[in-house]
Amino acid sequence: VVLRYGRGDFMVGIHAIQKFANEGGTFAIHNAMYDIEVCRSMGLELKRADIYDTMYASYLTRLNPQGLKALAYREHGVHMIDYEATVGDAARSKQLDYLWEVATTQWPKPTPQMVTDNAGVSKIKTARAIAKQAQTIIINCTTDKSKDIYSIWQDQDPIQRKMVAEKLGRMPRATLADLPLEKAVDYSARDADVTLRLYKSMKKRLHALGLSELMKHGMELLPVFEEMQFSGMHATRRYFLDLYDKVSEEMEDFGAYISERYYGGKPFNPGSQDQVAAVMRRRGLDSGKRTDSGKMSTSKKAIAHMKDSDDAIASVIEWRERQKIRDAFCKPVIEAIPEKHDGLYPVRCRIKITRVHTRRLASADPNFLAMPSRSELGVKVRKGFIAPPGQIFGGWDLSQIELRLLAHVSGDATMCQRFIDDVDLHTYTAAEIFKIPVEQVDKMLHRNPAKNAGFGIVYGISGMGLYDQFLMMGAKGWSPEKCDKLIEDWLKVYPGVREYKERVKRALHKDGIARDM
């Protein structure tokens, strides 16, 4: 049955599908985190439905890439037409009309802006008039139809694009609604057909691999994650505008300070690897790490251990932390909240459930899961998110969950008993490793190294990897060789863990796959 959105028969169809969903009907969907929200916008709620996400199924079986078109070809030999290619002609027509209106409208002259390039040189720059930019795009894209008008437009001056959007709206994107009905139906039906084929084949594959129960658990949690994504985190635009201005001013101060004190008064950009490396060479410093091109690395991981011993490095790191707060959190939040909205507004990120090998969540735009918590700036970012009236923010932490699981799967008697006795595992471990009484264990000298080694061993850390962690923490007196010995000593305390790891390796060699709980 073909239903046209906005017509009465469309809502008849939605009501029929809603009844099916409420009765627990099965919905085969590819990328349900996206489609559940699309369905909601059409008046279709899938909370009670039995959802089977074929993208999640491909994730559990480690099939990459996970996109529908790639899976359709690889699993069933079906060639699918790209969406952009399908709507391309309709999109170009709408976008050229939009650009023509931009080109023939009178706009205020662009305001000169101060810009700093990667070499740290600041200049006054005036952007080209937006009408001229539009004319150039029209000419170039009319003569070369392979050019993507939308992406070219996004590369133009953002301040002027915003001005245009306020008057004309955003540049249009074509949808299936812009196509002849038969063509739109053909494209959509092919998507549905392939998803159904994948549902049938994936279900059999998961059963054969013993992953059906895991798939069931994932699908039970999926609506929870989607609701988290839909609910968002509430914030006010004013708070993040003020924080943006504050960290920007502090960045300017740090840049000027390093320039005057360590760079001969010349413009200095702490984001420039070459300029930071130049300052380090002047001060006789070397990070000890090299980039792929052979240059001295000035990444955070490479220079963090010098923060407490060198003022210039400390200032570079402080500048970069502010840049991250400004660009990764302040800017996305400001852009997400309408300018005229004064109160709390939900800021939504994209939650990704098929990205991390261990089945943990990932997020983006903004990456709420990477929100800093231990720094003063990180606390300020977190304070910007406020629970709406009648709601609260809560925080829960699973106590040493990785090591509790390790104790369970390895069956190591000592580790299991310490969890049963409810003693501090890391303190007792450190006492045995460093051969001192429990009451003499120092947090920084003994407990933290033992803790880092323990959590690292869960994920197969090497001595060099542990050494890098200690460098980042500013821990003194460690070397890759000492870190290798620390890992070895930790495994001597819990021999059952070593035996478990060896069992896993043997099973992997024998069966070609590794299984966890």
Side-chain angles (χ1 to χ4, degrees):
V1 178
V2 176
L3 305 170
R4 288 186 177 173
Y5 187 76
R7 278 177 33 178
D9 57 1
F10 178 87
M11 292 315 299
V12 170
I14 289 292
H15 290 316
I17 300 171
Q18 185 67 68
K19 184 173 184 294
F20 179 69
N22 292 345
E23 292 170 353
T26 300
F27 285 72
I29 302 175
H30 193 83
N31 191 6
M33 286 290 287
Y34 176 82
D35 282 348
I36 289 174
E37 188 170 352
V38 173
C39 288
R40 185 185 293 117
S41 71
M42 297 189 299
L44 177 61
E45 276 289 351
L46 299 181
K47 284 185 178 179
R48 298 181 191 172
D50 174 28
I51 295 171
Y52 195 98
D53 188 348
T54 50
M55 177 182 275
Y56 192 78
S58 73
Y59 163 69
L60 290 184
T61 56
R62 294 296 184 260
L63 286 174
N64 286 309
Q66 299 163 353
L68 183 63
K69 291 169 178 55
L71 279 172
Y73 180 71
R74 190 165 68 248
E75 296 298 300
H76 297 285
V78 176
H79 288 274
M80 297 182 69
I81 305 168
D82 181 74
Y83 179 81
E84 294 299 332
T86 303
V87 300
D89 289 342
R92 290 183 71 81
S93 177
K94 292 171 75 171
Q95 289 161 3
L96 287 170
D97 288 345
Y98 179 85
L99 288 174
W100 181 254
E101 193 166 355
V102 176
T104 55
T105 300
Q106 290 289 329
W107 304 100
K109 288 185 178 180
T111 305
Q113 301 285 324
M114 176 76 76
V115 295
T116 304
D117 62 21
N118 286 332
V121 179
S122 297
K123 297 178 181 177
I124 300 291
K125 187 176 179 181
T126 302
R128 239 177 119 216
I130 196 68
K132 292 284 187 185
Q133 294 178 45
Q135 289 173 20
T136 302
I137 298 172
I138 291 171
I139 293 168
N140 291 340
C141 292
T142 302
T143 54
D144 184 353
K145 292 189 177 181
S146 67
K147 291 183 180 292
D148 181 356
I149 297 175
Y150 188 85
S151 61
I152 294 173
W153 177 248
Q154 298 307 307
D155 290 336
Q156 307 309 306
D157 179 45
I159 295 174
Q160 293 189 85
R161 276 195 296 108
K162 185 178 179 183
M163 173 183 66
V164 171
E166 287 171 354
K167 184 171 183 177
L168 304 179
R170 294 177 181 272
M171 174 174 275
R173 307 285 303 263
T175 67
L176 294 178
D178 296 306
L179 301 181
L181 184 61
E182 292 74 17
K183 191 173 182 180
V185 169
D186 181 63
Y187 178 90
S188 304
R190 189 176 291 264
D191 265 20
D193 170 53
V194 165
T195 302
L196 184 60
R197 294 191 202 195
L198 286 171
Y199 163 72
K200 292 176 179 178
S201 60
M202 286 293 183
K203 203 167 184 180
K204 289 179 182 177
R205 181 175 297 184
L206 288 175
H207 178 74
L209 291 169
L211 296 173
S212 298
E213 192 69 14
L214 204 61
M215 180 70 185
K216 179 173 175 286
H217 293 163
M219 293 301 95
E220 288 170 346
L221 281 169
L222 190 144
V224 178
F225 297 147
E226 195 281 328
E227 189 172 347
M228 288 165 55
Q229 180 175 267
F230 182 72
S231 299
M233 302 260 282
H234 287 71
T236 63
R237 197 167 192 271
R238 173 45 52 197
Y239 181 92
F240 280 92
L241 279 170
D242 291 343
L243 186 58
Y244 183 99
D245 291 341
K246 185 176 189 309
V247 296
S248 296
E249 288 175 12
E250 290 174 351
M251 286 168 65
E252 288 182 15
D253 291 342
F254 277 114
Y257 173 77
I258 300 169
S259 168
E260 292 168 12
R261 190 160 184 175
Y262 303 110
Y263 206 60
K266 294 186 293 183
F268 181 79
N269 177 12
S272 165
Q273 176 177 306
D274 290 341
Q275 290 192 26
V276 173
V279 166
M280 290 175 66
R281 284 192 294 270
R282 286 186 182 193
R283 300 180 59 70
L285 302 172
D286 194 316
S287 67
K289 293 185 179 294
R290 293 293 179 268
T291 65
D292 291 340
S293 61
K295 294 182 179 180
M296 178 169 57
S297 174
T298 63
S299 67
K300 181 181 178 181
K301 191 174 181 179
I303 66 174
H305 63 286
M306 300 185 228
K307 180 177 180 180
D308 295 332
S309 59
D310 190 90
D311 178 57
I313 298 299
S315 298
V316 167
I317 291 173
E318 292 286 354
W319 184 94
R320 290 179 177 178
E321 286 179 355
R322 281 155 180 77
Q323 183 193 40
K324 181 178 179 181
I325 294 295
R326 185 192 69 180
D327 295 347
F329 296 104
C330 295
K331 191 175 179 181
V333 172
I334 292 166
E335 291 176 349
I337 301 176
E339 278 191 39
K340 295 179 182 177
H341 201 286
D342 295 328
L344 287 177
Y345 190 87
V347 179
R348 299 182 177 95
C349 70
R350 286 186 299 119
I351 293 177
K352 303 176 182 181
I353 62 172
T354 64
R355 290 294 179 271
V356 184
H357 287 312
T358 58
R359 294 177 72 229
R360 296 182 80 156
L361 297 179
S363 67
D365 306 324
N367 186 357
F368 282 150
L369 292 177
M371 199 182 297
S373 60
R374 295 176 184 173
S375 67
E376 183 182 340
L377 275 174
V379 171
K380 286 180 179 177
V381 171
R382 287 173 175 249
K383 281 185 176 179
F385 295 98
I386 302 167
Q391 300 180 24
I392 60 168
F393 278 134
W396 291 265
D397 185 25
L398 295 168
S399 174
Q400 300 179 1
I401 187 64
E402 292 97 337
L403 292 176
R404 290 181 189 273
L405 282 168
L406 184 60
H408 177 75
V409 297
S410 70
D412 183 272
T414 303
M415 187 181 283
C416 288
Q417 192 59 50
R418 283 175 177 166
F419 279 123
I420 291 168
D421 294 340
D422 198 25
V423 299
D424 182 66
L425 182 82
H426 303 308
T427 298
Y428 276 75
T429 305
E432 290 198 45
I433 288 175
F434 295 101
K435 296 180 173 52
I436 55 177
V438 170
E439 56 272 15
Q440 290 182 17
V441 171
D442 180 85
K443 181 181 178 181
M444 300 304 294
L445 294 177
H446 309 121
R447 187 182 181 277
N448 281 358
K451 178 181 177 180
N452 278 64
F455 281 113
I457 286 167
V458 175
Y459 295 104
I461 200 167
S462 65
M464 181 58 76
L466 188 58
Y467 176 63
D468 283 340
Q469 283 189 14
F470 288 156
L471 281 180
M472 290 275 288
M473 294 162 54
K476 310 292 186 195
W478 291 97
S479 67
E481 293 74 27
K482 285 184 178 180
C483 290
D484 280 329
K485 185 175 186 304
L486 178 60
I487 292 171
E488 185 63 27
D489 289 343
W490 193 99
L491 289 169
K492 286 178 182 176
V493 176
Y494 303 112
V497 173
R498 188 197 299 276
E499 292 169 12
Y500 165 70
K501 288 166 71 74
E502 291 305 317
R503 286 200 305 273
V504 172
K505 288 178 185 176
R506 286 196 298 271
L508 181 58
H509 282 296
K510 179 175 176 288
D511 302 328
I513 57 174
R515 292 180 183 274
D516 62 18
M517 291 172 62

